[in-house]
Amino acid sequence: MQFMTVEQYQLVKKQAKKILNTYTTTKDQKVIQAIQALVQEKIDEKLTFTEISQQLQLQPIFNIETKEQLHYFLNDIKPYVIPFQAPTANELKKLFPKEKKLKLPNLDSYDWKETSYLSWFDAGTNRKYIVYREEGTLKGVRGVFSHSEKVGICTVCNQHAKVGMLLVAKKGTDLGTYTKKGNYLCQDSKACNEALSDLSKFEDFVENLT
């Protein structure tokens, strides 16, 4: 039975890497136990278990001492992840009806168990598209995306990465006027999704733009 959202899975993945890093940098049992306790606290804060078997699936996290064990652990728990409900090409076209020549991404290339939101960039128009689900309803936002060679902090996943400014134009209160809103977002949407373990940051991001 699937019991983890994608963002919860990403959080567990981060905590598993923290355990591995602890084992590889110290032999002090008190330090190891303290990190294990912090990891348990983070998991309990983010996940709600309905069955004891769900908790047992995550127990091996506390004994990850090698990269191989980390790899096996993540593979073992991935079947319990609830994937992002993949949209169809027609659904995407309906989201952006004004785009007569909408260039769609290859939907078959996505790992939906690693995806909290769908995003792609059209180099021909310099537009970046963001698609997400809000209470089950598919929603989308698009804007002009300016690339930068500088490393900054992504507003969505909060990691240091190559970011760009996404500017979204909205109709103003007066006829014929527009307002622009923008924020910094990872250029690499796949990496952004993998680093996104708190969906509220993404929700704040799209709310600010829309």
Side-chain angles (χ1 to χ4, degrees):
M1 179 182 173
Q2 296 170 327
F3 63 90
M4 276 185 291
T5 62
V6 176
E7 62 164 328
Q8 289 170 337
Y9 171 66
Q10 302 298 1
L11 176 122
V12 171
K13 189 192 293 186
K14 279 185 182 178
Q15 300 309 309
K17 289 178 180 178
K18 189 179 290 184
I19 292 284
L20 172 60
N21 183 61
T22 303
Y23 273 112
T24 54
T25 54
T26 184
K27 298 296 181 186
D28 189 325
Q29 286 301 309
K30 288 184 178 179
V31 173
I32 292 171
Q33 288 170 7
I35 296 299
Q36 287 174 330
L38 287 171
V39 165
Q40 182 70 69
E41 189 178 319
K42 280 284 186 184
I43 290 173
D44 290 343
E45 191 180 287
K46 198 72 176 178
L47 280 79
T48 301
F49 300 104
T50 55
E51 297 175 12
I52 191 70
S53 61
Q54 296 170 353
Q55 287 177 290
L56 292 174
Q57 290 295 337
L58 301 186
Q59 282 307 299
I61 194 175
F62 300 105
N63 300 306
I64 296 173
E65 298 183 37
T66 66
K67 286 184 178 180
E68 186 179 36
Q69 287 175 330
L70 173 65
H71 174 75
Y72 283 125
F73 171 71
L74 295 177
N75 274 354
D76 286 345
I77 67 170
K78 202 164 185 180
Y80 300 100
V81 178
I82 303 161
F84 181 86
Q85 188 182 339
T88 64
N90 280 337
E91 284 178 319
L92 293 179
K93 287 173 184 176
K94 285 179 182 177
L95 273 184
F96 306 103
K98 292 182 181 179
E99 302 283 343
K100 301 305 178 187
K101 294 182 179 180
L102 180 64
K103 190 175 180 181
L104 296 175
N106 178 9
L107 297 174
D108 293 333
S109 68
Y110 286 84
D111 182 347
W112 299 109
K113 291 193 175 187
E114 297 271 3
T115 304
S116 290
Y117 72 94
L118 171 65
S119 181
W120 72 95
F121 177 69
D122 183 349
T125 59
N126 277 337
R127 284 184 181 140
K128 195 172 183 73
Y129 299 84
I130 295 175
V131 174
Y132 58 100
R133 290 192 182 276
E134 189 176 281
E135 295 180 356
T137 302
L138 197 66
K139 294 192 173 184
V141 61
R142 64 160 194 182
V144 176
F145 191 70
S146 303
H147 287 79
S148 169
E149 289 304 312
K150 293 182 179 179
V151 172
I153 297 177
C154 174
T155 313
V156 169
C157 69
N158 212 34
Q159 70 172 332
H160 285 269
K162 277 190 176 182
V163 296
M165 171 64 76
L166 179 67
L167 280 176
V168 176
K170 289 290 176 184
K171 286 184 180 179
T173 51
D174 296 327
L175 186 66
T177 63
Y178 289 86
T179 57
K180 287 185 178 181
K181 289 188 176 182
N183 228 324
Y184 288 101
L185 179 69
C186 281
Q187 293 184 29
D188 185 342
S189 299
K190 181 176 181 289
C192 187
N193 268 285
E194 290 179 357
L196 180 55
S197 57
D198 183 358
L199 204 56
S200 66
K201 294 184 186 302
F202 173 78
E203 290 166 351
D204 291 342
F205 176 81
V206 291
E207 185 179 348
N208 175 61
L209 293 177
T210 57

